[in-house]
Amino acid sequence: MVVLETPRLVLRRWREDDLAPMAAVNADPEVMRWIGDGAVRDEEQTRRGIEAMEHAWDRHGFGLFAVEIRSTGELAGFTGLSVPDFLPELLPAVEVGWRLGRAHWGQGLATEAAAAALRFGFEERGLGRIVSIVQLDNGASERVITKLGMLPAGETVDPSCGRRVRVFQLSSDRYVTITR
């Protein structure tokens, strides 16, 4: 069982008691504004999402971690690695992504969590390249991506919702250079 720790966070696999707090995150329209078509998700949709995240671990050897605040044990959201099947033109690819509840915004937690996921992908799983996909005008996520050292790789349209997205990437060589 993979568990990653950062100064303020524990990134771990999902537990049954994560359902209610993650459903609350997914029910917030401001959190979901930049996810797909912007629709909120209910508890059953959240349950299916968590099940899919867990199955991805079995299929790929990586996945999306539950992000827990070390000092309180509170679930903040998720971060980690996934295959961006919704954007077939990028495949094969692995994406780093995150979603945190609003109470955890503006504290550098997304950057801290995503940096740990990148380290895991490059150092533990030997990935050669990781991408990140962000809807245009999502400045907060673009700032996180920039802090991670990722570089622009183009723009396209997410066919699942028709929204324009910008793709960023980070090679394992660049990762080694910027983390020395």
Side-chain angles (χ1 to χ4, degrees), residues 147-150 170 173-180:
K147 289 177 188 173
L148 295 171
M150 302 186 93
L170 182 61
D173 290 343
R174 179 169 163 75
Y175 171 79
V176 168
T177 299
I178 64 175
T179 57
R180 281 190 182 152

Side-chain angles (χ1 to χ4, degrees), residues 129-145:
R129 177 181 77 116
I130 298 175
V131 301
S132 195
I133 303 159
V134 60
Q135 290 185 4
L136 297 190
D137 299 323
N138 183 349
S141 284
E142 282 210 22
R143 283 188 293 280
V144 171
I145 290 167

Side-chain angles (χ1 to χ4, degrees), residues 70-123:
R70 283 178 75 149
S71 62
T72 65
E74 177 186 3
L75 181 79
F78 68 74
T79 193
L81 305 172
S82 63
V83 175
D85 293 325
F86 69 96
L87 207 53
E89 68 192 75
L90 287 184
L91 299 178
V94 175
E95 176 187 15
V96 64
W98 52 88
R99 182 179 312 155
L100 300 180
R102 259 197 286 175
H104 305 289
W105 291 3
Q107 303 169 45
L109 296 176
T111 304
E112 185 175 326
L118 285 175
R119 187 169 41 258
F120 173 73
F122 288 125
E123 296 179 13

Side-chain angles (χ1 to χ4, degrees), residues 157-174:
V157 173
D158 176 345
S160 71
C161 63
R163 291 183 173 182
R164 291 204 57 78
V165 295
R166 186 167 290 128
V167 179
F168 291 80
Q169 67 181 358
L170 182 61
S171 69
S172 57
D173 290 343
R174 179 169 163 75

Side-chain angles (χ1 to χ4, degrees), residues 17-94:
D17 62 348
D18 294 327
L19 177 59
M22 193 65 220
V25 171
N26 286 341
D28 184 336
E30 193 58 29
V31 170
M32 299 303 290
R33 177 180 178 193
W34 302 110
I35 309 299
D37 66 1
V40 297
R41 298 187 183 143
D42 64 21
E43 188 168 294
E44 184 53 34
Q45 290 168 311
T46 300
R47 178 184 302 282
R48 288 194 309 267
I50 290 172
E51 289 170 357
M53 290 181 218
E54 280 297 296
H55 290 307
W57 278 97
D58 297 333
R59 196 167 46 256
H60 303 296
F62 57 78
L64 295 167
F65 294 95
V67 175
E68 180 180 299
I69 305 297
R70 283 178 75 149
S71 62
T72 65
E74 177 186 3
L75 181 79
F78 68 74
T79 193
L81 305 172
S82 63
V83 175
D85 293 325
F86 69 96
L87 207 53
E89 68 192 75
L90 287 184
L91 299 178
V94 175

